[in-house]
């Protein structure tokens, strides 16, 4: 039976833009599992209330509901052990937690002031008031103010990727010769941007851009998703 994934969508139901949902979409593709994705909007809280919380990704497998990208990735690893490992065993999983923490506390917050206004432009009409008010309350400023001077901010963003860049100069993927969940965590941030923003985050010859391309080449689900080829 196919898995069911509740996946954040924009005005266009095919435009999926959650960095956390992208982690799981690639984890499912990595495990080569069939999945039905259900487009979900921020204000569709009652649709996922059965999961006991109000965020996506939510995965349903044979009637069991799971929420939170880390929980879901571990569930997939444990319940679908055939084929390539997602996390690389207990040591790999422990190191991957660092990658997750770096992504959640540095990468995604640094991407926010570069793409937030573009994310807003792609939202479903019914999500706009909620999104603007919740994000502006959190940021303490308007979306537009948060994204001011992004042409300058992007240089600091590129500089902050140096640990990632240095690693990708030595190896093709964070997972080594083939990608694993550590790659999908970081790549999720770049899919958030790709699916919503024409803003050019990376220079074309940046090793991070070349890694992003290698992942797009491997995963048709990402390459073919509505987005901007920047
Ligand atoms: N720690 C969670 C974060 C999930 C999360 O924040 N998802 C966002 C979409 S990117 C969401 O559902 N937000 C709902 C809201 O802001 O109301 C995970 O790893 O899955």
């Amino acid at each position: 039976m196919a898995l069911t994934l509740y996946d954040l969508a924009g005005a266009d139901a095919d435009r999926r833009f959650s960095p956390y949902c992208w982690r799981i979409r690639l984890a499912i593709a990595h495990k080569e599992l069939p999945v039905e994705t259900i487009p979900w909007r921020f204000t569709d809280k009652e649709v996922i209330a059965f999961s006991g919380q109000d965020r996506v990704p939510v995965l349903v497998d044979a009637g069991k509901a799971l929420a939170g990208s880390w929980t879901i990735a571990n569930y997939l690893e444990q319940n679908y052990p055939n084929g390539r490992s997602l996390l690389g065993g207990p040591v790999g999983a422990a190191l991957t937690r660092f990658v997750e923490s770096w992504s959640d506390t540095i990468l995604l917050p640094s991407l926010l002031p570069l793409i937030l206004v573009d994310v807003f432009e792609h939202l479903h009409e019914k999500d706009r008031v909620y999104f603007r008010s919740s994000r502006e309350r959190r940021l303490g400023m308007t979306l537009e103010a948060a994204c001011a001077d992004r042409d300058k901010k992007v240089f600091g963003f590129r500089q902050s990727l140096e640990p990632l860049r240095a690693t990708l100069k030595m190896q093709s993927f964070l997972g080594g010769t083939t990608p694993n969940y550590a790659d999908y965590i970081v790549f999720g941030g770049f899919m958030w941007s790709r699916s919503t923003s024409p803003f050019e985050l990376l220079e074309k010859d940046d090793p991070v851009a070349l890694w992003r391309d290698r992942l797009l080449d491997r995963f048709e689900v990402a390459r073919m998703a509505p987005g901007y080829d920047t």
Side-chain angles (χ1 to χ4, degrees), residues 8 17-21 23 40 42-43 45 48 53-57 67-70 72 100 104 130-131 134-135 138 192:
L8 184 63
F17 63 93
S18 158
Y20 303 102
C21 293
R23 294 175 188 183
W40 179 88
F42 285 107
T43 47
K45 299 292 186 200
I48 56 166
Q53 52 86 65
D54 65 354
R55 286 166 185 263
V56 290
S69 54
W70 183 255
I72 296 171
E100 187 195 47
D104 292 355
Y130 166 76
F131 185 86
S134 60
R135 271 49 183 180
R138 202 182 291 166
W192 182 30

Side-chain angles (χ1 to χ4, degrees), residues 8 17-24 42 55-57 69-70 97-117 119 131 135 138-139 146-147 153 156-158 160-161 164 181-197 199 201 211:
L8 184 63
F17 63 93
S18 158
Y20 303 102
C21 293
W22 272 110
R23 294 175 188 183
I24 298 307
F42 285 107
R55 286 166 185 263
V56 290
S69 54
W70 183 255
R97 281 242 103 160
F98 169 78
V99 175
E100 187 195 47
S101 299
W102 175 74
S103 294
D104 292 355
T105 60
I106 302 289
L107 178 67
L108 299 184
S110 320
L111 275 168
L112 203 74
L114 303 177
I115 66 168
L116 200 54
V117 283
V119 173
F131 185 86
R135 271 49 183 180
R138 202 182 291 166
L139 292 164
C147 287
K153 283 180 189 141
F157 169 74
R158 289 176 187 164
S160 77
L161 298 177
L164 177 64
Y181 192 62
D183 290 274
Y184 311 148
I185 290 173
V186 179
F187 184 68
F190 289 97
M191 285 305 292
W192 182 30
S193 171
R194 187 176 203 272
S195 54
T196 54
S197 178
F199 185 71
L201 290 176
W211 160 84

Side-chain angles (χ1 to χ4, degrees), residues 40-75:
W40 179 88
R41 273 61 181 230
F42 285 107
T43 47
D44 291 339
K45 299 292 186 200
E46 75 291 349
V47 175
I48 56 166
F50 68 87
S51 70
Q53 52 86 65
D54 65 354
R55 286 166 185 263
V56 290
V58 169
L59 184 79
V60 181
D61 186 13
K64 184 178 167 64
L66 296 121
S69 54
W70 183 255
T71 301
I72 296 171
N74 278 275
Y75 173 87

Side-chain angles (χ1 to χ4, degrees):
M1 196 164 69
L3 303 168
T4 305
L5 179 70
Y6 291 82
D7 190 11
L8 184 63
D12 168 6
D14 290 334
R15 189 178 302 275
R16 308 297 173 85
F17 63 93
S18 158
Y20 303 102
C21 293
W22 272 110
R23 294 175 188 183
I24 298 307
R25 289 196 71 181
L26 293 205
I28 291 170
H30 177 109
K31 290 282 182 187
E32 298 180 7
L33 298 169
V35 63
E36 182 200 356
T37 66
I38 298 184
W40 179 88
R41 273 61 181 230
F42 285 107
T43 47
D44 291 339
K45 299 292 186 200
E46 75 291 349
V47 175
I48 56 166
F50 68 87
S51 70
Q53 52 86 65
D54 65 354
R55 286 166 185 263
V56 290
V58 169
L59 184 79
V60 181
D61 186 13
K64 184 178 167 64
L66 296 121
S69 54
W70 183 255
T71 301
I72 296 171
N74 278 275
Y75 173 87
L76 292 171
E77 184 77 326
Q78 278 153 26
N79 288 272
Y80 296 96
N82 294 343
R84 290 184 299 123
S85 168
L86 255 184
L87 294 160
V91 175
L95 288 169
T96 305
R97 281 242 103 160
F98 169 78
V99 175
E100 187 195 47
S101 299
W102 175 74
S103 294
D104 292 355
T105 60
I106 302 289
L107 178 67
L108 299 184
S110 320
L111 275 168
L112 203 74
L114 303 177
I115 66 168
L116 200 54
V117 283
D118 300 323
V119 173
F120 183 76
E121 284 306 313
H122 287 95
L123 293 178
H124 193 284
E125 196 61 42
K126 68 181 181 177
D127 277 357
R128 288 177 172 232
V129 171
Y130 166 76
F131 185 86
R132 183 177 277 283
S133 63
S134 60
R135 271 49 183 180
E136 292 188 346
R137 201 177 320 116
R138 202 182 291 166
L139 292 164
M141 65 181 92
T142 63
L143 305 182
E144 290 72 17
C147 287
D149 291 331
R150 63 178 173 174
D151 291 333
K152 293 195 185 94
K153 283 180 189 141
V154 74
F155 295 111
F157 169 74
R158 289 176 187 164
Q159 178 68 30
S160 77
L161 298 177
E162 198 48 39
L164 177 64
R165 185 174 298 116
T167 309
L168 294 171
K169 281 182 188 166
M170 295 185 282
Q171 57 198 58
S172 298
F173 298 100
L174 295 178
T177 51
T178 56
N180 70 6
Y181 192 62
D183 290 274
Y184 311 148
I185 290 173
V186 179
F187 184 68
F190 289 97
M191 285 305 292
W192 182 30
S193 171
R194 187 176 203 272
S195 54
T196 54
S197 178
F199 185 71
E200 199 160 314
L201 290 176
L202 302 170
E203 290 179 304
K204 296 265 180 277
D205 59 351
D206 187 330
V208 178
L210 302 178
W211 160 84
R212 188 181 55 181
D213 257 349
R214 285 195 288 280
L215 283 165
L216 288 168
D217 287 345
R218 272 183 180 248
F219 291 100
E220 204 182 14
V221 65
R223 174 74 81 191
M224 300 312 287
Y228 297 89
D229 210 4
T230 53

